[in-house]
Amino acid sequence: SFYEELLSHGILQPLTAPVEGMVVREGSRNYVAPQGISSVVKYYLEQSGADVSYEQHITHLCLRDGRWEVSRKAGPPEQFDVVILTMPIPQILQLQGDIVNIINASQKQQLESVKYSSRYALGLFYEAGTGIAVPWAAQYITDNPCIRFISIDNKKRNIESPEVGPSVVVHTTVTFGSEHLDSHPAEVQQVILSHLQRIVPSLPKPSSIKCQKWRYSQVTRAVPSCPGQMILHTQPLLICGGDGFTRSNFDGCIESAVSLAEAVKPHL
């Protein structure tokens, strides 16, 4: 039903562009978000009617008079009746305050067992009208120590237009990502670009480049038995979820979201 809804609104479309080297699992179907994956999040936020505050870096969670007091890097603390945490699990374990003592030994062991891969993503952006002469929309690379995936993103999303410049997205291998996790992004960018030049020598010079470190890229080991969520405190409710409690694809995110919603409902 989630897919049907997103397809009917044009938020998702079936993947039709040629992707070389993709492992196709039997019975699986692949989709693209023409306006980017953030359009899926924006759609659900609009549906919810929620008032969203961005760029709020949470540091502490403390119990105050039967509510949660949430402190952040900038601005005064605020109080809430229910707190739902969906950031990567290592960042949940970094939070300070009463949460440190509330997470019991068994929960802590389960949360600490979760593992993520790390990688870099590189975005190359071009002026409108620039041609990128390759026969594929995206390609998985198996024989390069640095690059795992290249996508001509507007082609992959099936939104090629003479008015909009093309963009290329490059993902590094997990090994390269972990080996260069604490390297300077400018140095990493140069290494990726030199490998990219060898793989696609015809690639034109971009008008701008963005290099993004992805410390928590994909879950390689989820919370044991993939429960979808974990209640850390009942009254007031403190609950955590996300792909660390299922797996790193859209189905995994939906499963965790449904599981969270069911657990939170009785507290509303």
Side-chain angles (χ1 to χ4, degrees), residues 1-3 5-6 12 40 44 228 242-243 246-262:
S1 64
F2 289 98
Y3 285 95
E5 183 182 348
L6 293 169
L12 291 184
V40 177
Y44 285 127
D243 58 356
T246 50
R247 58 196 180 283
S248 285
N249 63 7
F250 189 61
D251 287 0
C253 295
I254 289 290
E255 272 175 41
S256 177
V258 170
S259 176
L260 279 167
E262 289 303 315

Side-chain angles (χ1 to χ4, degrees), residues 134-184:
V134 291
W136 37 264
Q139 187 181 43
Y140 285 89
I141 313 290
T142 54
D143 56 357
N144 186 279
C146 170
I147 293 174
R148 175 69 179 116
F149 177 76
I150 306 169
S151 166
I152 317 298
D153 226 47
N154 51 317
K155 205 170 171 182
K156 183 193 76 179
R157 297 185 197 184
N158 205 19
I159 52 165
E160 288 180 283
S161 156
E163 283 86 54
V164 182
S167 60
V168 173
V169 175
V170 179
H171 288 177
T172 67
T173 64
V174 170
T175 307
F176 179 90
S178 56
E179 285 173 357
H180 294 82
L181 202 53
D182 298 310
S183 304
H184 196 280

